[in-house]
């Protein structure tokens, strides 16, 4: 089978996903086009050689609707003969886009693809597309649906994570993200966002709160306690599914959950011949990919079975992985991953994660692949595993190997 390589990975900074955020006036299609143009310029890319642009975005309504991928291609400087397809695997949309691109290349379905995604959460609010699992009573009742924050609190309760545990992970995420920015670890991949006059709008991850400490987080009220306990509440629904839980411990809040932000990311994936033809050196090999379905109520445990599956499929063990990027949707998700595999915390989210920098839903998967790639090159290590939990109960993962 043909090998699939990553030739480049770029991302925008993450802007606060609200009206006073630096990127609020930028549309999803504009930000997508800009990041595509940056990838093209950095690699002197002849885009007629690109088979497709596979683009993740989760809330596919309003300005993010209508096959945003194709719209972004047409607004960008890519050749108009390059098609585009928008995909939605919730939080894993951009990692799924990259996995699809890699598997197309590996299967001989073209020499090169651009994958990635975008989410402008301040302009197109999460949930505004009206997901069936949340609004259709028949489906919600069948799946014992609860909001994701309740799911995160179920994980904390089921696996024994205290409020101090989740808050400590959040403080460490902020510390690591600040260190990464202070040391320029993201500089290779960050593309500053500029306005139409060429003036820089944003050149850093705007959401970060590096002064966060345990005392500050301890003062925050649990975000999901009221919706869980106010009768008839979601805790009662959850206990129908998990009757052994006497009480759900509500430990998550805005400070130990992923931030609502705007952002985009893109990855150039191709075979060996594509690189030779264009004078490009591959930075990593995509060694394995996977996706899996999981319990839709607890919902966010997907990184564990996804990792088990991808290791099994690739003939690898957890000890073969040097670093891990586990999306920090909620602190308990990462704690459960480390608990399940007895992974040293120093290898997980080395440069901070979505709690500190934010989680632009449709773009995050490509962002964490890029972060893992940069860290492998910086540290001289060999392999990285990237994984995300996914709404409705799924997981996805990718293993990359530095070239």
């Amino acid at each position: 089978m043909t090998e699939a390589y990553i030739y480049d990975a770029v991302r925008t900074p993450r802007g606060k996903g609200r009206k006073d955020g630096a990127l609020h006036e930028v549309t999803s299609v504009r930000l997508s086009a800009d990041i595509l143009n940056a990838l093209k310029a950095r690699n002197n890319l002849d885009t007629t050689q690109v088979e497709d642009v596979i683009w993740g975005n989760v809330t596919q309504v309003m300005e993010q609707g209508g096959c945003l991928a194709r719209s972004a291609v047409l607004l960008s400087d890519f050749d108009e003969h390059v098609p585009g397809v928008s995909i939605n695997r919730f939080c894993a949309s951009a990692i799924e886009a990259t996995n699809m691109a890699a598997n197309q290349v590996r299967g001989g379905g073209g020499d090169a693809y651009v994958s990635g995604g975008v989410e402008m959460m301040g302009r197109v609010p999460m949930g505004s597309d009206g997901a069936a699992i949340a609004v259709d009573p028949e489906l919600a009742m069948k799946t014992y649906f609860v909001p994701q924050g309740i799911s995160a609190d179920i994980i904390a309760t089921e696996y024994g994570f205290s409020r101090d545990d989740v808050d400590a992970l959040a403080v460490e995420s902020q510390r690591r993200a600040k260190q990464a920015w202070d040391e320029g670890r993201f500089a290779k991949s960050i593309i500053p966002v500029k306005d139409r006059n060429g003036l820089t709008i944003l050149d850093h991850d705007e959401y970060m709160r590096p002064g966060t400490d345990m005392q500050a987080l301890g003062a925050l009220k649990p975000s999901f306690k009221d919706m869980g306990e106010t009768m008839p509440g979601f805790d009662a629904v959850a206990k129908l599914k998990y009757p052994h839980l006497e009480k759900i411990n509500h430990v998550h809040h805005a400070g130990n959950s992923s931030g609502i932000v705007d952002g985009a990311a893109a990855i150039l994936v191709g075979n060996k011949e594509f690189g030779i033809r264009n004078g490009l050196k591959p930075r990593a090999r995509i060694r394995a990919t996977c996706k899996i379905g999981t319990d839709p109520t607890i919902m966010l445990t997907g990184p564990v079975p996804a990792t088990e599956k991808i290791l099994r499929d690739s003939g690898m063990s957890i000890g073969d992985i040097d670093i891990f990027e586990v999306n920090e949707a909620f602190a308990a998700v990462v704690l459960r991953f480390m608990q399940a595999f007895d992974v040293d915390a120093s290898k997980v989210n080395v440069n901070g994660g979505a709690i500190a920098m934010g989680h632009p839903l449709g773009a995050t998967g490509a962002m964490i692949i890029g972060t893992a790639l940069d860290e492998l090159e910086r540290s001289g290590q060999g392999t990285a595993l990237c994984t995300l939990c996914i709404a409705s109960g799924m997981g996805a993962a990718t293993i990359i190997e530095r070239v």
Side-chain angles (χ1 to χ4, degrees):
M1 183 176 289
T2 301
E3 297 282 10
Y5 296 96
I6 296 175
Y7 284 94
D8 203 5
V10 294
R11 74 169 176 94
T12 69
R14 300 166 172 100
K16 295 178 182 177
R18 57 195 194 202
K19 290 183 178 180
D20 62 348
L23 300 183
H24 185 67
E25 298 305 316
V26 184
T27 64
S28 305
V29 67
R30 178 74 264 170
L31 198 68
S32 299
D34 285 350
I35 204 70
L36 291 177
N37 286 341
L39 192 70
K40 177 178 184 289
R42 277 170 51 120
N43 297 281
N44 193 27
L45 180 62
D46 175 6
T47 59
T48 62
Q49 299 181 49
V50 174
E51 190 77 18
D52 202 358
V53 171
I54 308 176
W55 210 238
N57 69 284
V58 174
T59 312
Q60 297 187 10
V61 295
M62 298 184 289
E63 65 188 51
Q64 288 186 171
C67 191
L68 180 62
R70 175 58 174 165
S71 297
V73 167
L74 294 174
L75 187 60
S76 76
D77 297 330
F78 274 44
D79 190 276
E80 67 179 11
H81 293 95
V82 180
V85 59
S86 294
I87 68 164
N88 178 9
R89 199 185 287 281
F90 297 122
C91 300
S93 294
I95 203 170
E96 181 63 23
T98 304
N99 290 352
M100 290 173 67
N103 291 328
Q104 289 275 20
V105 169
R106 293 165 78 184
D111 291 342
Y113 285 75
V114 172
S115 64
V118 68
E119 205 77 33
M120 302 302 287
M121 300 179 74
R123 295 179 61 91
V124 185
M126 180 171 54
S128 56
D129 52 347
I133 196 166
V135 302
D136 185 297
E138 182 181 14
L139 179 58
M141 290 175 67
K142 180 183 179 185
T143 56
Y144 297 92
F145 169 80
V146 299
Q148 285 190 22
I150 302 290
S151 298
D153 287 339
I154 296 171
I155 293 172
T157 306
E158 178 76 1
Y159 295 101
F161 305 129
S162 68
R163 172 67 181 263
D164 281 351
D165 291 335
V166 291
D167 282 357
L169 186 140
V171 170
E172 181 64 6
S173 181
Q174 296 282 355
R175 187 195 69 78
R176 293 183 183 186
K178 181 181 186 304
Q179 180 181 8
W181 271 102
D182 289 348
E183 296 180 1
R185 297 186 186 183
F186 299 131
K188 188 173 184 177
S189 298
I190 291 288
I191 304 299
V193 181
K194 300 184 178 183
D195 65 16
R196 294 306 95 200
N197 296 314
L199 300 175
T200 298
I201 299 173
L202 186 65
D203 61 3
H204 64 281
D205 286 322
E206 185 182 27
Y207 183 80
M208 291 169 52
R209 293 155 290 176
T212 299
D213 57 24
M214 291 293 287
Q215 289 71 32
L217 295 185
L220 299 177
K221 294 181 179 180
S223 296
F224 310 103
K225 182 180 175 68
D226 288 345
M227 72 170 65
E229 295 181 353
T230 301
M231 296 301 293
F234 285 106
D235 285 9
V237 175
K239 284 189 280 188
L240 291 173
K241 184 75 169 286
Y242 315 113
H244 63 284
L245 297 179
E246 294 183 8
K247 179 179 173 59
I248 294 172
N249 187 20
H250 293 286
V251 297
H252 289 92
H253 50 73
N256 57 35
S257 306
S258 56
I260 294 173
V261 295
D262 304 325
I267 296 176
L268 178 59
V269 178
N271 59 22
K272 184 178 181 179
E273 290 70 26
F274 167 77
I276 293 172
R277 190 164 62 244
N278 291 278
L280 298 174
K281 182 180 178 181
R283 296 174 61 189
R285 176 169 71 101
I286 298 179
R287 183 160 176 173
T289 71
C290 86
K291 61 273 187 183
I292 197 167
T294 64
D295 180 344
T297 307
I298 202 167
M299 195 185 306
L300 307 174
T301 55
V304 173
T307 296
E308 292 170 343
K309 183 177 190 298
I310 200 170
L311 292 174
R312 184 171 61 250
D313 291 350
S314 61
M316 300 176 72
S317 70
I318 202 74
D320 294 325
I321 307 298
D322 296 313
I323 61 171
F324 301 84
E325 283 289 325
V326 183
N327 187 41
E328 294 176 351
F330 297 90
V333 173
V334 183
L335 291 172
R336 172 55 189 151
F337 180 89
M338 293 190 293
Q339 180 190 66
F341 297 104
D342 194 23
V343 173
D344 189 328
S346 66
K347 296 182 176 183
V348 181
N349 301 343
V350 175
N351 297 308
I355 290 174
M357 293 175 284
H359 175 23
L361 307 176
T364 302
M367 287 186 173
I368 67 173
I369 289 176
T371 297
L373 175 57
D374 285 344
E375 180 59 23
L376 288 178
E377 293 175 340
R378 184 193 73 84
S379 63
Q381 297 182 94
T383 59
L385 186 149
C386 305
T387 184
L388 302 91
C389 61
I390 310 174
S392 300
M394 293 183 283
T398 305
I399 295 176
I400 65 172
E401 182 178 62
R402 184 170 63 93
V403 175

